[in-house]
Amino acid sequence: MKIRLRCALLLALAVNDSSAALRVDFSSADSIRSAAKTVASNLMTYYHGTERGQIPGILPGPPPKGPYYWWEGGALWGTMIDYWHYTTDTTYNTETELSLVFQANSPQNDYMHPNWTASLGNDDQGFWGMSAMLAAETTFQNPPPDQPQWLALAQAVFNTQASRWDTDYCRGGLRWQIPLSNNGYNYKNSIANAVFFNIATRLARYTGNDTYAEWAAKTWDWMSIEKGVGYIDADYNVFDGAHVEDNCTDINLAQFSYTAVILIQGLGFLHNHTNGQQPIWSTRLRLLTNKTLSLFFSNGTAVEPSCELENAIQCTTDMLSFKGYVHRWLAQTTQMAPFLEPIIMPILKTSAQSMAQSCLEDGTCGFRWNRGAYDGNTGAGQQMNALGALVSMLVHEPGVKVAVTNGTGGTSPGDPNAGSNTHFEGQFEMDNTLTNGDRVGAGIVTTIVLASLLGAFGWMASCAGEVDNWPEGRGVEKGKGSEKLK
Ligand SMILES: *[C@@H]1O[C@H](CO)[C@@H](O)[C@H](O)[C@H]1NC(C)=O
Ligand SMILES: *[C@@H]1O[C@H](CO)[C@@H](O)[C@H](O)[C@H]1NC(C)=O
Ligand SMILES: *[C@@H]1O[C@H](CO)[C@@H](O)[C@H](O)[C@H]1NC(C)=O
Ligand SMILES: *[C@@H]1O[C@H](CO)[C@@H](O)[C@H](O)[C@H]1NC(C)=O
Ligand SMILES: *[C@@H]1O[C@H](CO)[C@@H](O)[C@H](O)[C@H]1NC(C)=O
Ligand SMILES: *[C@@H]1O[C@H](CO)[C@@H](O)[C@H](O)[C@H]1NC(C)=O
Ligand SMILES: *[C@@H]1O[C@H](CO)[C@@H](O)[C@H](O)[C@H]1NC(C)=O
């Protein structure tokens, strides 16, 4: 019922919209910066963490309290760090710093706060870790010395994840969920392992400590068809994951753009770290980039094919934010691997130009970028997408620094043993306060993915029919869209 109304609303918006698109002159850095400021300001209207009674650092959620899972807050602050880094606008730096520190889970400082146990995947924790790493790499303002530090936070995420590397099943790999009792604990997926790989490659380059590079290589090997479970196949498709009961052979063939791009960015760091002297990394980088650009851009515009269907948007709230990571991390890869600049940047530019057509003049942006018009499908993810596409156009502007290392200007204090005070299993045993709603909220990706595939047939019928038994998997959108109609 709710969903039917929403379809009607979207159709109405698409038909009635006659507003001008966001004005951007892509040949002018000033114009891009100005458009980015408008879109950033609109994005931050979704953040209420500084208001009385609200929790700092998070977007409204997790479901059923609001549409956004905890990880998306971590993704937001990474987006805002790039916004500052590329535009030099410091407006949101204080909120960004406070948020990344508040959610760190002091004194363990491992991004595993018990508040979020019910939806705590390695990928969720890892998104906060990647944003902390970005803060170190961009020399974002350091917190006061008595507070957690960016590099050490990324190391804590790395160390806690390395300690969870699981050789009991599938000869290695990280599980999706961290707590044993979460749905999805029996699933080993590409996103969890890709995020771990990404952080490891960046720590290798930043610190020069080869242990991180060895872990990255081990993770790639485990994912790949050559030596591992085959989540990355010979053609550089990156599939979603599989279950431990089946020795990770029941591979779910769904593909998501952010997984591939998180791997690409990590490969870019390894290419740069090894100075292009290890063809194994540079070759993989070239091939995965080629494949990913062909899968996730249609006529030069970013798409999310497993849920952005011709006649319907089937994406969960999570998935509605992937295009922004795709743009930002592909752009950053052209800094680490300049040989890819002529291949990647023209596509990012046509995609960003399409994106601008999907926004209103006030900086409210839709989700679909390839229809030449605003589609009325709005949210924090859609705003992060638009902002990511805009700021990525500034990546080669004069004065924009590339990721630093400890030896080339990095100032963030590290701690190779960070995260070793984490005793998560014990903490979880004591936490019997999870509600049923929380558990359902954690969901399982298989349900979502199946739903997406079925959605190709079923969802569109839903604009005319009921979808009451829609699986309430993690990230299945059930907040904002329907709440608005109440
Ligand atoms: C955890 O939840 C409590 C209760 O809502 C809140 O007061 C606290 O600020 C939260 N802490 C974090 C790190 O989210
Ligand atoms: C390198 O990283 C590993 C893994 O975290 C750590 O055990 C080791 O102490 C580090 N070495 C140095 C010299 O920091
Ligand atoms: C599990 O799969 C691996 C290949 O990834 C294979 O080498 C191994 O023999 C399999 N183990 C079992 C118990 O089937
Ligand atoms: C590593 O990055 C720097 C900074 O962008 C770049 O100048 C250099 O060419 C890169 N190295 C390789 C091997 O691409
Ligand atoms: C990918 O590689 C194929 C075959 O080499 C080539 O035809 C195509 O242009 C490449 N795509 C991109 C985006 O570079
Ligand atoms: C592809 O993009 C070009 C220029 O951006 C446009 O002229 C053309 O109509 C587009 N083709 C399709 C099929 O959308
Ligand atoms: C980083 O550089 C500083 C100053 O050059 C040095 O004291 C420190 O040991 C370095 N840290 C690492 C992890 O290499």
Side-chain angles (χ1 to χ4, degrees), residues 290 293-294 343 347:
N290 180 297
L293 292 175
S294 76
I343 294 168
I347 295 183

Side-chain angles (χ1 to χ4, degrees), residues 176-432:
W176 178 33
Q177 291 296 308
I178 297 172
L180 179 97
S181 47
N182 277 12
N183 287 331
Y185 184 72
N186 61 342
Y187 193 63
K188 290 194 176 178
N189 59 1
S190 284
I191 186 60
N193 287 281
V195 168
F196 178 60
F197 169 82
N198 180 290
I199 292 175
T201 65
R202 293 160 73 174
L203 287 172
R205 181 172 173 277
Y206 191 102
T207 65
N209 180 341
D210 273 337
T211 307
Y212 299 118
E214 285 158 18
W215 271 101
K218 176 169 157 167
T219 305
W220 180 277
D221 285 347
W222 180 79
M223 293 179 76
S224 77
I225 186 93
E226 294 139 25
K227 298 190 178 163
V229 290
Y231 293 177
I232 306 170
D233 79 0
D235 296 326
Y236 288 84
N237 293 295
V238 182
F239 302 124
D240 195 69
H243 292 90
V244 297
E245 299 89 346
D246 296 301
N247 192 24
C248 296
T249 58
D250 62 326
I251 298 179
N252 186 318
L253 300 180
Q255 299 195 52
F256 294 100
S257 60
Y258 77 150
T259 317
V261 170
I262 285 169
L263 290 170
I264 288 173
Q265 189 187 33
L267 290 169
F269 273 87
L270 288 178
H271 163 82
N272 200 274
H273 176 55
T274 57
N275 204 18
Q277 297 302 300
Q278 290 188 15
I280 196 165
W281 295 123
S282 309
T283 303
R284 287 167 176 166
L285 173 59
R286 182 169 51 79
L287 294 174
L288 182 59
T289 300
N290 180 297
K291 182 70 178 186
T292 300
L293 292 175
S294 76
L295 281 179
F296 299 104
F297 288 82
S298 168
N299 197 27
T301 299
V303 288
E304 194 62 45
S306 57
C307 66
E308 183 177 350
L309 310 180
E310 188 59 30
N311 298 310
I313 299 302
Q314 183 56 68
C315 306
T316 64
T317 301
D318 289 354
M319 297 168 195
L320 291 170
S321 71
F322 294 172
K323 291 175 188 177
Y325 318 131
V326 166
H327 272 253
R328 286 166 50 219
W329 299 339
L330 283 174
Q332 201 271 346
T333 299
T334 68
Q335 292 182 322
M336 290 296 99
F339 80 90
L340 288 174
E341 185 181 334
I343 294 168
I344 290 177
M345 290 312 292
I347 295 183
L348 293 187
K349 185 167 182 183
T350 54
S351 184
Q353 286 168 330
S354 303
M355 179 282 297
Q357 297 301 308
S358 86
C359 301
L360 301 179
E361 205 171 1
D362 72 355
T364 306
C365 297
F367 177 69
R368 251 192 221 283
W369 291 356
N370 59 8
R371 295 278 168 89
Y374 172 63
D375 70 356
N377 186 333
T378 56
Q382 293 86 323
Q383 291 304 121
M384 286 200 278
N385 293 344
L387 186 56
L390 285 170
V391 299
S392 295
M393 288 293 100
L394 301 169
V395 69
H396 296 294
E397 282 301 306
V400 172
K401 285 189 298 179
V402 304
V404 300
T405 67
N406 188 54
T408 60
T411 60
S412 183
D415 173 5
N417 300 314
S420 49
N421 290 328
T422 294
H423 302 294
F424 191 71
E425 293 304 331
Q427 169 188 313
F428 184 73
E429 301 302 342
M430 292 186 305
D431 185 1
N432 290 323

